Amino acid sequence: MKRRDFIKLAGVSAALFPVAPSVFGQQSGQPVIPPRRYTYRVTYNIDLPGNGKKARLWLPLPDTEDSPHQFSQGSVWSGTASTARFENVPGTTSPMFYAEWNRSGPRSVTVSSVIKTSDRAVNLERYREGNSSALPADVKRYLQPTKFIPLDGIVRKTALSITQEAKAQSQLQKARAIYDWVVENSYRDPSTRGCGRGNIKAMLETGHLGGKCADLNALFVGLARAAGIPARDNYGIRIDESAAHKTLGQADDITTAQHCRPEFYLTGLGWVPVDPADVRQLALDEELPIEHPRVIELREKLFGSWEMNWVAFNHGRDIRLARDSVLGELPFFMYPQAEVAGHERDSLEPAEFAYKITSARLVGTGIKF
């Protein structure tokens, strides 16, 4: 049995993608180059075990909340599923794919999404403290605690200590102080499974500030929220090589390239991209001290900009994909999830799951859309 579904969004105006200087791939003393703008196809290939009467599958998809740096052109699927549909991640407006098999036998699905990206940079010099504009309702929720990101106790105490020690007054200064503190005090721990879980209360209580992106970047998000700054993580995946740092990119087979990135919100300016975890990854992978010029350069770039060789899926925390699922509550939804014959598949073991994710840059989609 074969079924196919299709989601197609309206065309995007070129005005959504203003030409701005790129902060990536630029060598000191050389002219500023335009941002990279490419179109990609990201594809999941799933082959679940055929045992048992029932199997269920959930896949996170590229966010359809179109912006100047990411635009989704839709998704298609094909396969043997008894039931399949595109829907939203529960409690969010972010897309996902759901499939179900009601009998034993071959269980395969292919899901492809087409996305356009453009390198992202925010001009922080435009920020003016004292803007009286009220926070939008959809931003206020990013001041709330979550299961692994409480905003009281040691989290609030640490946030206030950081901002007071830095004598930070404005929201921008506070965010920068927290960003610098995370970069200087955390470290990337290669033994962490997947991207970590983001349990910042446990990290601060134990003093073990090691982990991967979902840990280190959640640390920034939680401390920022505790200091009164809206902040959120974007859970996604790397889809291309980096123009500047080989360790911060991945192309073709991206099965294990999941990566989350945080943002904080400034009234009058909007969401500002940061990524302290990638600073620590560069330092670890290239065996560089935090004071090395390459690390310092990336540290400055990643406070206010992202190289968009990566796409975002969603911002959700404490996700329950289905009330009747054995999966329970997920800290976030960044990996494929499945259950077969009432048993959860290990999303961090793609070969056993089994799934493969690939990315392809589409021909003829260079600097202009």
Side-chain angles (χ1 to χ4, degrees), residues 46 48-58 98-103 107 320-328 336-347 353-354:
I46 312 292
L48 295 178
N51 61 295
K53 292 184 179 180
K54 188 173 182 178
R56 305 168 79 183
L57 170 72
W58 295 263
Y98 172 76
E100 184 176 307
W101 291 260
N102 294 321
R103 60 186 180 279
R107 292 167 175 163
R320 188 175 291 275
L321 294 173
R323 292 184 179 276
D324 59 344
S325 170
V326 298
L327 298 178
Q337 302 290 334
E339 59 179 57
V340 176
H343 296 282
E344 178 181 357
R345 305 299 294 176
D346 189 343
S347 63
F353 187 96

Side-chain angles (χ1 to χ4, degrees), residues 131-143 171 228-230 265-268:
N131 190 309
S132 59
S133 300
L135 287 175
D138 64 342
V139 172
K140 288 181 180 179
R141 63 193 179 104
Y142 296 112
L143 281 168
Q171 296 288 81
I229 305 168
Y265 190 88
L266 293 177
T267 303

Side-chain angles (χ1 to χ4, degrees), residues 23-180:
V23 295
F24 292 95
Q26 178 186 352
Q27 299 299 319
S28 178
Q30 294 185 1
V32 171
I33 61 174
R36 294 194 316 172
R37 295 175 175 173
Y38 289 117
T39 303
Y40 299 91
R41 177 178 288 110
V42 174
T43 301
Y44 289 98
N45 288 291
I46 312 292
D47 286 290
L48 295 178
N51 61 295
K53 292 184 179 180
K54 188 173 182 178
R56 305 168 79 183
L57 170 72
W58 295 263
L59 302 177
L61 297 176
D63 201 346
T64 53
E65 184 181 348
D66 299 318
S67 68
H69 57 276
Q70 179 174 321
F71 174 77
S72 172
Q73 289 191 294
S75 301
V76 297
W77 78 274
S78 64
T80 63
S82 306
T83 300
R85 59 182 176 267
F86 294 97
E87 57 188 22
N88 290 340
V89 178
T92 79
T93 59
S94 301
M96 73 175 186
F97 174 77
Y98 172 76
E100 184 176 307
W101 291 260
N102 294 321
R103 60 186 180 279
S104 60
R107 292 167 175 163
S108 62
V109 157
T110 297
V111 181
S112 292
S113 304
V114 175
I115 318 100
K116 295 183 177 184
T117 70
S118 178
D119 287 347
R120 179 183 182 191
V122 174
N123 184 359
L124 296 175
E125 294 181 358
R126 292 173 47 218
Y127 176 66
R128 297 293 180 269
E129 184 72 12
N131 190 309
S132 59
S133 300
L135 287 175
D138 64 342
V139 172
K140 288 181 180 179
R141 63 193 179 104
Y142 296 112
L143 281 168
Q144 300 302 313
T146 70
K147 181 178 180 180
F148 285 161
I149 304 180
L151 304 182
D152 56 0
I154 193 169
V155 179
R156 178 168 173 76
K157 180 180 178 181
T158 304
L160 294 179
S161 174
I162 293 167
T163 55
Q164 289 172 2
E165 183 176 344
K167 299 180 180 179
Q169 300 296 319
S170 71
Q171 296 288 81
L172 177 57
Q173 290 171 338
K174 291 178 181 178
R176 181 63 199 234
I178 292 168
Y179 172 84
D180 286 338

Side-chain angles (χ1 to χ4, degrees), residues 179-189 209 211-212 216-217 247-248 275-291 295 298-299 302:
Y179 172 84
D180 286 338
W181 187 90
V182 173
V183 169
E184 292 167 6
N185 291 275
S186 69
Y187 61 95
R188 181 173 172 83
D189 183 352
L209 301 184
K212 292 184 181 174
L216 308 193
N217 286 338
T247 189
L248 304 182
D275 195 343
D278 263 359
V279 180
R280 296 305 319 199
Q281 180 166 342
L282 178 70
L284 174 69
D285 291 349
E286 296 194 5
E287 300 181 348
L288 301 174
I290 202 69
E291 303 85 7
V295 179
L298 185 65
R299 177 174 176 170
L302 289 178

Side-chain angles (χ1 to χ4, degrees), residues 191-248:
S191 68
T192 301
R193 288 199 78 211
C195 291
R197 294 181 62 81
N199 188 343
I200 69 168
K201 181 173 183 281
M203 293 171 69
L204 291 170
E205 286 179 342
T206 62
H208 179 79
L209 301 184
K212 292 184 181 174
C213 62
D215 300 311
L216 308 193
N217 286 338
L219 196 57
F220 172 86
V221 168
L223 293 172
R225 290 187 186 184
I229 305 168
R232 66 188 185 187
D233 260 317
N234 297 261
Y235 299 97
I237 194 166
R238 303 189 201 271
I239 57 173
D240 202 353
E241 302 292 346
S242 168
H245 304 285
K246 183 178 181 180
T247 189
L248 304 182

Side-chain angles (χ1 to χ4, degrees), residues 305-325:
S305 66
W306 287 340
E307 181 183 13
M308 287 302 293
N309 60 332
W310 166 93
V311 295
F313 293 147
N314 59 73
H315 316 295
R317 294 282 307 192
D318 305 339
I319 300 294
R320 188 175 291 275
L321 294 173
R323 292 184 179 276
D324 59 344
S325 170

